[in-house]
């Protein structure tokens, strides 16, 4: 049976969190000059998680949360001028340029010759589709799955949809919470490739499991698959 690799996208194939971190840093510089993003990080994360719960993932939600932060952190009602500044700050989140992680195109080229590849990403559908198109990586994949959230039942649904044999299918990604733990629970193997900066909301202590392997870089996948 053909081996199938399910591959996460944000912070596995291309940089994502570093772009959000840069926007957050510019926001704090603007809103609270003299403060550092580090002092505010946990409150910013909490604010962003609150807005995601209400409005879903995506650039617009992120912009709304930054606008909400004007009241929460600076103690004033946001004005139209604030809104214009924030629209400018979130411009990198249009994702017209993507920064691919080292070795990704060559590694996918090699892996796709020996394995069936399915991209499994979560987020706003239009935004993630745009990133896939801009990445230039679409042709390596047999299918693209964009999910609202990565849960055990979503992995099970993908397993059924593509008639995957769990014994010869692996999920590859940087997030224990979204990529590793639910995929293992659905019966797949899992390959954790940590990213130096994983968003606090995605952090979870990695479980130990006979079908879990950790690698240092994406390129190392070719030694195993
Ligand atoms: Mg990821």
């Amino acid at each position: 049976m053909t081996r199938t690799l399910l591959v996460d996208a944000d912070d596995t194939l291309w940089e994502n969190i570093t772009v959000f971190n840069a926007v957050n840093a510019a926001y704090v510089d603007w809103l609270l000059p003299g403060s550092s993003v580090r002092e505010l990080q946990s409150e910013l994360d909490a604010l962003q998680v609150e807005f995601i719960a209400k409005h879903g993932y995506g650039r617009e939600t992120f912009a709304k949360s930054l606008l909400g932060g004007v009241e929460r952190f600076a103690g004033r009602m946001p004005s139209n001028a604030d809104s214009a500044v924030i629209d400018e700050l979130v411009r990198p989140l249009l994702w017209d340029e993507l920064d691919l992680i080292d070795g990704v195109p060559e590694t996918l080229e090699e892996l796709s010759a020996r394995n069936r590849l399915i991209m499994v990403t979560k987020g706003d559908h239009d935004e993630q589709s745009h990133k896939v198109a801009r990445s230039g990586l679409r042709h390596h994949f047999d299918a693209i799955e964009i999910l609202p959230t990565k849960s055990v039942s979503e992995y099970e649904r993908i397993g059924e949809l593509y008639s995957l044999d769990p014994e010869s299918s692996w999920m590859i990604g940087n997030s224990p919470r979204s990529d590793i733990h639910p995929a293992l629970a659905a019966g797949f193997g899992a390959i954790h490739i940590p990213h130096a900066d994983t968003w606090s909301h995605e952090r979870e202590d990695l479980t130990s499991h006979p079908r879990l392997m950790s690698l240092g870089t994406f390129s190392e996948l070719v030694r195993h698959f």
Side-chain angles (χ1 to χ4, degrees):
M1 182 169 240
T2 316
R3 208 164 39 189
T4 301
L5 304 180
L6 307 169
V7 187
D8 170 50
D10 288 342
D11 295 321
T12 295
L13 300 178
W14 53 69
E15 295 289 346
N16 182 72
I17 183 72
T18 48
V19 178
F20 278 93
N21 286 346
V23 174
N24 277 333
Y27 170 75
V28 171
D29 270 352
W30 161 71
L31 186 65
L32 303 166
S35 314
S36 83
V37 70
R38 199 168 301 155
E39 300 164 43
L40 221 63
Q41 193 65 61
S42 62
E43 287 172 80
L44 264 176
D45 285 347
L47 181 70
Q48 287 159 7
V49 170
E50 257 174 56
F51 274 74
I52 289 168
K54 261 188 267 173
H55 306 286
Y57 284 93
R59 188 175 60 94
E60 279 179 33
T61 298
F62 194 73
K64 277 185 195 146
S65 76
L66 296 184
L67 203 58
V70 171
E71 192 180 354
R72 188 170 303 183
F73 304 130
R76 58 183 162 83
M77 290 308 286
S79 65
N80 288 342
D82 291 329
S83 196
V85 171
I86 288 169
D87 281 347
E88 201 51 45
L89 289 173
V90 299
R91 190 172 292 272
L93 306 179
L94 289 170
W95 304 107
D96 286 330
E97 282 170 44
L98 285 185
D99 189 4
L100 297 182
I101 288 175
D102 279 353
V104 160
E106 317 74 292
T107 304
L108 287 176
E109 179 79 43
E110 201 173 329
L111 291 174
S112 65
R114 300 191 288 265
N115 305 273
R116 174 159 69 155
L117 303 184
I118 300 175
M119 192 189 295
V120 181
T121 178
K122 74 168 175 177
D124 175 80
H125 194 276
D126 292 347
E127 267 181 35
Q128 293 306 106
S129 301
H130 179 71
K131 286 160 125 176
V132 173
R134 298 295 297 183
S135 73
L137 301 173
R138 173 67 184 88
H139 64 288
H140 296 300
F141 291 88
D142 287 334
I144 309 285
E145 284 285 327
I146 299 173
L147 313 175
T149 179
K150 288 176 170 172
S151 59
V152 180
S153 60
E154 283 291 344
Y155 284 104
E156 287 170 345
R157 183 186 64 76
I158 289 171
E160 277 172 39
L161 183 63
Y162 297 98
S163 307
L164 302 183
D165 169 19
E167 286 303 312
S168 57
S169 304
W170 280 262
M171 175 67 197
I172 296 160
N174 69 296
S175 167
R177 179 193 170 109
S178 292
D179 303 319
I180 306 305
H181 295 152
L184 288 169
F188 299 121
I191 312 294
H192 184 227
I193 305 176
H195 183 277
D197 278 314
T198 288
W199 189 31
S200 61
H201 185 54
E202 295 292 343
R203 279 178 220 145
E204 215 168 71
D205 289 336
L206 207 57
T207 188
S208 87
H209 189 284
R211 292 198 64 206
L212 170 64
M213 179 163 62
S214 283
L215 297 180
T217 65
F218 195 80
S219 309
E220 289 171 37
L221 284 166
V222 298
R223 294 192 214 145
H224 302 275
F225 296 100

